């Protein structure tokens, strides 16, 4: 019985496990079929693109920096399926460059590229055959760009709406090194073929990035310009191999020209996107010191002499850039390959007068940069101040029509001299006009603040005046009351004095009248005893009495 129960339990566990495995497989398949696929073909010298020794950071940087901003979202964090395409990635007989041809025993260029095309075609066929209709992106770097350029011609018409291409530093870019040498036939001893170039009119969309002056993806056209050629050689060492750094192959390296992921994204967004047929070309601008001067700047830093070296380099950097740019054609259609010329510049695209103006402006700018201590040679991740006009031009690529509707920075254009100075003037005027509303707004706000302050002050003054008036009225009332009280007291005192004087006068008059009456009585008593008086007789006494009585009445009155 126990054995039977145990057997039943094993069967149930097995069934549950099978169901769980089926569900997990279904989810995995759904996730795999529901994501963009990027087939990444590395450049020369990168052999370890596949597990178990796959270089870490390489595919991720390709997706995050270039594929994700090319029109189809695909980054290392959004579920995009990043698949490396393995191939020899070698270049016989260049064995003096590490990993390009170890021991001078490796495949030739055509052999390496041919194997890459075969492997890429296999990976693309498998991706197209998988269920779903999600986008497929083919990515190629340097020699990998040559592999992708050739494979583009083999993409079936039915898949052209689903497949897109992204390249960086592509040697078969129409303005790349192999396209400049496209007039040459296959070199038998070296087994190098310079064609075909990246197609621009077969119905497959492509976005192609190159750092300015990288001689592989942005080769000079006028090879009679020694400064342009020398600068390109130095750029091959300091620019071309650093598009996807740092990674596990080169953990201590960084992006060219002092860029980081943030500033690179900004530069790509602001750079001119020149369109030719199905292809878009983006030139990432050089900033800081020209590649020609970077070894000098680096040596000065190692020796602790940057304070002396940088101003000297900054002094000549703008003029040198102006002369180097004569070796490039930034005006014509970037999708049409133009082979090299032995001339130093295009004699039909230069105006001597306008070039002289630019030359003087470059000298002036160099003096300003030198006096500033050469800070223009060290691009900051977060700029603390706006760069000068010519410095801004030195870090911005030149424009050409047709372009997409994106920001385009004004730069020195050797083929249309004078345009950039006028563009800079227009930009400055536009900025000034844009600043006027802000200035007016600030002035209005300041005026409003002053008015409010004046109103508050006026209110305070009015309140103070009202308080003073109330105090004055109160004091006046108190004064009036005091004066009235004093007047009433004085009146009362005067009345009392008058009454007292009148009483005294009446008493005095009464006393005198009494005295007169007493005298009169005494005189009357004397007349009864003596009948004879001096003068007249009886007529004399009456007047005297009348007079005496009248005087007494007058005094009493």
């Amino acid at each position: 019985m126990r054995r039977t129960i145990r057997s039943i339990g094993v069967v149930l566990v097995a069934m549950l496990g099978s169901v769980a495995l089926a569900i997990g497989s279904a989810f995995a398949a759904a996730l795999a079929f529901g994501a963009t696929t990027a087939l990444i073909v590395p450049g020369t010298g990168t052999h370890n693109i596949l597990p178990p020794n796959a270089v870490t950071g390489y595919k991720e940087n390709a997706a995050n920096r270039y594929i994700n901003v090319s029109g189809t979202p695909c980054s290392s964090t959004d579920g995009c399926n990043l698949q490396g395409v393995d191939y020899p990635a070698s270049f016989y007989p260049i064995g003096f460059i590490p990993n390009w041809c170890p021991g001078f025993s490796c495949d030739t260029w055509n052999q390496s590229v041919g194997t890459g095309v075969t492997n890429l075609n296999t990976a693309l066929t498998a991706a197209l055959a998988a269920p779903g209709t999600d986008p497929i992106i083919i990515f190629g770097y340097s020699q990998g760009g040559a592999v992708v350029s050739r494979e583009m011609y083999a993409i079936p018409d039915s898949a052209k709406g689903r497949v897109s291409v992204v390249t960086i530093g592509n040697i078969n870019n129409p303005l790349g090194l192999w396209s400049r040498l496209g007039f040459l036939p296959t070199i038998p001893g070296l087994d190098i073929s310079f064609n075909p170039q990246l197609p621009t009119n077969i119905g497959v969309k492509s976005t192609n990035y190159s750092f300015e002056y990288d001689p592989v993806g942005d080769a000079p056209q006028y090879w009679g310009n020694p400064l342009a050629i020398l600068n390109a050689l130095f750029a091959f060492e300091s620019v071309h191999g650093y598009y996807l750094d740092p990674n596990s192959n080169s953990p201590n390296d960084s992006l060219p020209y002092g860029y980081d992921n943030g500033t690179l994204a900004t530069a790509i967004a602001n750079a001119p996107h020149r369109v030719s047929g199905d292809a878009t070309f983006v030139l990432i601008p050089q900033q800081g010191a020209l590649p020609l001067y970077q070894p000098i700047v680096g040596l000065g830093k190692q020796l602790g002499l940057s304070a002396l070296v940088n101003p000297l380099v900054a002094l000549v950097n703008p003029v040198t850039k102006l002369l180097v740019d004569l070796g490039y054609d930034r005006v014509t259609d970037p999708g049409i390959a133009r082979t090299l010329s032995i001339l130093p510049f295009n004699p039909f695209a230069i105006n001597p007068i306008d070039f002289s103006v630019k030359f003087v402006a470059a000298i002036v700018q160099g003096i300003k940069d030198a006096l500033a201590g050469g800070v223009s040679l060290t691009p900051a991740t977060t700029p603390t101040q706006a760069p000068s006009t010519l410095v801004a031009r030195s870090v911005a690529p030149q424009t050409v029509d047709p372009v997409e509707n994106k920001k385009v920075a004004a730069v020195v254009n050797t083929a249309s001299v004078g345009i950039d100075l006028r563009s800079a003037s227009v930009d400055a005027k536009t900025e000034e006009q844009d600043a006027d509303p802000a200035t007016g707004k600030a002035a209005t706000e300041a005026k409003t603040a002053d008015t409010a302050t004046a109103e508050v002050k006026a209110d305070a003054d009015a309140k103070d005046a009202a308080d003073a008036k109330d105090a004055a009225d109160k004091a006046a009332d108190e004064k009036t009351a005091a004066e009235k009280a004093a007047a009433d007291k004085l009146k009362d005192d005067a009345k009392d004095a008058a009454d007292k004087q009148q009483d005294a006068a009446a008493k005095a008059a009464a006393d005198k009248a009494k005295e007169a009456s007493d005298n009169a009585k005494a005189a009357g008593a004397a007349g009864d005893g003596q009948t004879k008086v001096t003068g007249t007789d009886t007529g004399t006494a009456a007047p005297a009495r009348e007079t005496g009585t009248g005087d007494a009445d007058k005094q009493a009155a």
Side-chain angles (χ1 to χ4, degrees), residues 15-33:
M15 292 178 60
L16 291 175
S18 300
V19 172
L21 182 61
I23 294 175
S25 299
F27 274 108
L31 291 175
F33 298 145

Side-chain angles (χ1 to χ4, degrees), residues 14 37 44 77 107-108 218 228 232 244 254 256 307 389 423 449 459 489 501 510 518 530:
T37 297
T44 308
T77 59
D107 288 349
T108 64
D218 181 40
L244 298 179
S254 58
T389 302
S423 299
D459 292 341
K489 188 172 186 284
Q501 185 177 4
D518 291 341
Q530 188 178 3

Side-chain angles (χ1 to χ4, degrees), residues 39-44 46-47 49-50 83-90 107-125 138-141 143-152 154:
L39 306 176
I40 297 176
V41 185
T44 308
T46 304
H47 310 286
I49 193 67
L50 294 178
Q83 297 182 13
V85 177
D86 192 22
Y87 75 113
S90 60
D107 288 349
T108 64
W109 177 270
N110 284 346
Q111 289 173 341
S112 177
V113 171
T115 302
V117 172
T118 299
N119 294 348
L120 175 59
N121 185 266
T122 300
L124 178 60
T125 301
I138 304 176
F139 175 90
Y141 177 16
Q143 184 181 159
V147 172
V148 172
S149 298
R150 295 188 186 186
E151 174 61 18
M152 289 175 67

Side-chain angles (χ1 to χ4, degrees), residues 66-67 69-72 138-140 152 164-168 198 204-210 268 273 278-282 404:
Y66 307 103
I67 298 177
V69 297
S70 64
T72 301
I138 304 176
F139 175 90
M152 289 175 67
S164 62
V165 168
V166 177
T167 71
I168 58 174
L198 177 134
V204 178
K205 297 289 185 180
S206 69
T207 306
N208 308 277
Y209 301 94
S210 294
I268 289 176
H273 286 51
D278 297 317
T280 299
F281 299 90
V282 181
E404 292 184 11

Side-chain angles (χ1 to χ4, degrees), residues 167-492:
T167 71
I168 58 174
N170 182 4
I171 198 169
N172 277 116
N173 183 354
L175 302 182
L177 180 60
W178 270 192
S179 296
R180 298 298 190 200
L181 299 173
F183 63 93
L184 296 174
T186 298
I187 302 177
L190 298 177
D191 193 26
I192 299 175
S193 296
F194 302 100
N195 289 302
Q197 72 171 41
L198 177 134
T200 61
N201 57 358
I202 63 172
V204 178
K205 297 289 185 180
S206 69
T207 306
N208 308 277
Y209 301 94
S210 294
F211 279 97
E212 189 175 15
Y213 305 130
D214 168 15
V216 177
D218 181 40
Q221 180 176 349
Y222 297 98
W223 287 28
N225 185 326
L227 283 177
I229 297 300
L230 190 61
N231 187 68
L233 291 176
F234 279 97
F236 179 78
E237 192 281 329
S238 63
V239 176
H240 178 67
Y242 299 89
Y243 282 71
L244 298 179
D245 287 345
N247 54 61
S248 61
N249 279 355
S250 48
N252 298 322
D253 292 334
S254 58
L255 281 162
Y257 298 135
Y259 281 108
D260 58 25
N261 287 338
T263 54
L264 176 65
T266 301
I268 289 176
N270 293 334
H273 286 51
R274 303 188 295 171
V275 178
S276 177
D278 297 317
T280 299
F281 299 90
V282 181
L283 191 64
I284 303 169
Q286 170 264 334
Q287 60 180 4
L290 288 167
L292 176 63
Y293 292 130
Q294 287 183 10
I296 300 175
V297 174
L299 181 62
K301 184 177 181 180
Q302 290 180 357
L303 298 178
L305 299 176
S306 296
L308 175 63
V309 173
N310 286 5
L312 295 177
V313 174
L315 178 65
V316 297
N317 198 61
V319 172
T320 306
K321 179 176 176 62
L322 184 65
L323 297 176
V324 166
D325 284 344
L326 292 176
Y328 295 83
D329 186 350
R330 305 297 195 198
V331 178
T332 54
D333 189 337
I336 299 177
R338 288 173 172 79
T339 57
L340 65 85
S341 169
I342 60 173
L343 296 176
F345 55 83
N346 185 355
F348 302 104
I350 186 171
N351 184 316
I353 297 177
D354 287 345
F355 181 79
S356 298
V357 173
K358 288 184 178 182
F359 192 84
V360 172
I363 292 175
V364 172
Q365 187 61 57
I367 294 174
K368 291 181 179 179
D369 292 344
L371 294 176
V375 295
S376 60
L377 304 182
T378 307
T381 302
T382 305
T384 56
Q385 59 182 3
S388 59
T389 302
L390 202 61
V391 171
R393 293 174 184 170
S394 72
V395 300
Q398 300 169 11
T399 63
V400 64
D401 292 327
V403 299
E404 292 184 11
N405 188 20
K406 292 182 178 289
K407 295 181 180 178
V408 177
V411 294
V412 178
N413 187 340
T414 58
S416 54
V417 186
I419 294 177
D420 299 317
L421 294 180
R422 292 193 294 272
S423 299
S425 175
V426 172
D427 292 342
K429 184 175 180 181
T430 302
E431 292 175 358
E432 182 179 357
Q433 292 173 349
D434 292 340
D436 286 340
T439 304
K441 182 178 179 181
T444 302
E445 293 177 352
K447 184 176 180 181
T448 303
D450 292 341
T451 303
T453 302
E455 291 176 355
V456 171
K457 185 177 180 182
D459 292 341
D461 293 341
K463 183 178 180 180
D464 292 340
D467 293 341
K469 184 176 183 300
D470 293 340
D473 293 341
K474 184 176 181 181
D477 293 339
E478 293 176 354
K479 183 178 179 182
T480 303
E483 290 177 348
K484 183 177 180 181
D488 292 341
K489 188 172 186 284
L490 181 61
K491 183 177 180 181
D492 292 339

